[in-house]
Amino acid sequence: MQKIIVGIPRALLYYKYHILWETFFKELGITTITSNSSTKETLEIGRRFLIDEACLSMKLYMGHVKQLLPLCDYVLVPRIICLKKKEKLCTNFSALYDLVHNLFPDTKLLHYNIDVPNQETEFFGLLHIGLQLGFPYIKIVKAYHLAKQKELAETSISIKKQTVSLKSNNIKILLAGHPYNLHDKLIGANISNYLERENIKIIYSDKYDLKDMNKDCNHLSKNIYWTYNREIMASLWHYQSAVDGIILITTFPCGPDSLANEMCLRKLKNIPILNIIVDELSSETGLITRLESFIDIIKQKKELYEKQGNN
């Protein structure tokens, strides 16, 4: 079989599923290539293909796709509509394949659908990809199960490491948002880099055991039906008593985030929260100023609490 190279854009769902994807293709003997970390050039490229009203994260994604085109045989672009009954994802994820297909019509795309109410699951989606590429059924099934095992193991390890971080005596800040915003070099890196320089222990909302999601999320809202926002809200509730402050990170103009974040700001009143919305014109200097002020407030509150405790 001819050697196949599959390109994976380092944006959007990459930060949630890259271990699954990379392991699955590796077990099939397929080489994967991931686009480089986001830069201003990536954003500038992506802007050319989308309307101004598209969210920053989506524009970055298109920039990553464009950069991958000359480097691979296929680009992986999943279409994820619904992961749980009575819940939905942002329409960007259900429209992603169609957008990429229309913007880059000459590109070979690998895609799979996840739409649980219609019995379209992750397993059958990746099985479809394997069969499309000409691999035997048994090999595909084995590759999927090995990939899923590795994904679950890595997730468990990251949660355990974060549990250790929660025991730190340093100031602890929960960075809350979608993984593709928290960990993207152009979006969340400036925030996490600043906090690390200040010797602040960072807790990430995506390192959270989802088995308690419904119970934790329902404390804040029983009606939010965007699955990924429910995960963030559950994490906020779960970690709020263990951290000194929360920073919400979102990109403009995300509709689901704007509603979910506003609800969190109204209901979580006993902990300092900074809501950061990143857009194309965001200034690093202005961001650092806001972070400095926020950390000063937390330090003063912590010092006051310690003094009261000693009296």
Side-chain angles (χ1 to χ4, degrees):
M1 181 178 290
Q2 182 180 356
K3 197 70 173 177
I4 299 171
I5 300 177
V6 173
I8 303 177
R10 193 187 295 269
L12 293 183
L13 295 175
Y14 167 83
Y15 292 96
K16 193 172 183 69
Y17 297 112
H18 72 94
I19 294 174
L20 176 75
W21 295 338
E22 291 166 355
T23 307
F24 175 74
F25 286 120
K26 181 180 178 182
E27 292 297 326
L28 291 178
I30 294 174
T31 301
T32 58
I33 182 170
T34 305
S35 54
N36 295 327
S37 298
S38 298
T39 64
K40 291 183 178 179
E41 181 185 4
T42 313
L43 176 58
E44 187 58 37
I45 292 171
R47 286 178 59 191
R48 300 172 193 165
F49 296 98
L50 293 175
I51 60 174
D52 290 340
E53 289 74 13
C55 76
L56 177 64
S57 305
M58 195 69 159
K59 291 173 182 175
L60 280 173
Y61 185 86
M62 294 306 167
H64 282 281
V65 171
K66 178 64 175 175
Q67 291 176 329
L68 279 172
L69 297 185
L71 306 175
C72 58
D73 301 303
Y74 296 91
V75 178
L76 177 66
V77 184
R79 180 195 285 119
I80 303 183
I81 300 168
C82 177
L83 293 169
K84 296 182 179 181
K85 292 181 179 180
K86 298 182 181 180
E87 293 183 15
K88 291 288 185 180
L89 268 62
C90 169
T91 53
N92 280 340
F93 297 114
S94 56
L96 196 59
Y97 170 80
D98 300 289
L99 279 170
V100 175
H101 177 67
N102 288 324
L103 290 170
F104 309 102
D106 297 326
T107 302
K108 290 184 178 180
L109 302 180
L110 287 179
H111 85 283
Y112 62 92
N113 295 336
I114 298 183
D115 189 4
V116 171
N118 291 312
Q119 287 75 51
E120 294 182 320
T121 64
E122 179 182 82
F123 167 72
F124 286 115
L126 290 177
L127 175 63
H128 168 75
I129 284 180
L131 293 173
Q132 179 185 342
L133 294 174
F135 291 94
Y137 176 86
I138 295 299
K139 186 170 185 176
I140 301 167
V141 172
K142 182 180 179 182
Y144 174 76
H145 286 299
L146 288 172
K148 200 65 183 174
Q149 288 173 10
K150 184 169 183 180
E151 179 188 52
L152 293 172
E154 292 293 330
T155 299
S156 178
I157 290 170
S158 66
I159 292 172
K160 288 178 180 177
K161 286 182 178 180
Q162 183 145 288
T163 301
V164 174
S165 297
L166 287 169
K167 299 177 182 178
S168 171
N169 292 324
N170 293 3
I171 290 176
K172 294 179 283 292
I173 297 294
L174 173 64
L175 288 188
H178 300 290
Y180 53 82
N181 291 333
L182 297 180
H183 305 297
D184 187 271
K185 188 173 182 181
L186 196 65
I187 300 172
N190 287 332
I191 297 170
S192 55
N193 289 342
Y194 170 80
L195 296 177
E196 289 171 353
R197 289 197 300 269
E198 294 297 310
N199 202 29
I200 290 169
K201 189 63 69 174
I202 302 173
I203 307 299
Y204 290 99
S205 65
D206 61 325
K207 302 182 189 308
Y208 163 75
D209 194 338
L210 293 176
K211 74 177 189 300
D212 297 322
M213 184 184 77
N214 286 330
K215 180 185 69 174
D216 286 338
C217 181
N218 286 345
H219 287 287
L220 293 174
S221 173
K222 296 180 180 179
N223 301 317
I224 290 288
Y225 63 88
W226 297 294
T227 300
Y228 292 152
N229 286 94
R230 286 184 62 82
E231 292 177 3
I232 296 170
M233 294 174 76
S235 178
L236 286 170
W237 182 264
H238 179 79
Y239 285 122
Q240 62 168 328
S241 61
V243 297
D244 300 294
I246 297 170
I247 297 177
L248 297 171
I249 304 175
T250 190
T251 52
F252 182 82
C254 179
D257 278 9
S258 64
L259 293 171
N261 289 356
E262 181 64 26
M263 190 173 296
C264 294
L265 290 167
R266 293 184 182 187
K267 293 192 174 183
L268 295 173
K269 298 181 179 179
N270 297 321
I271 185 168
I273 302 178
L274 176 62
N275 188 24
I276 293 179
I277 301 174
V278 182
D279 64 18
E280 298 172 38
L281 302 176
S282 292
S283 162
E284 183 177 348
T285 302
L287 173 64
I288 297 303
T289 300
R290 292 185 67 193
L291 290 171
E292 288 173 344
S293 300
F294 184 65
I295 299 305
D296 285 343
I297 290 171
I298 290 175
K299 287 180 178 179
Q300 291 174 15
K301 183 178 179 180
K302 196 174 180 68
E303 289 174 2
L304 180 62
Y305 177 80
E306 291 174 351
K307 287 180 181 178
Q308 290 175 342
N310 293 329
N311 292 335

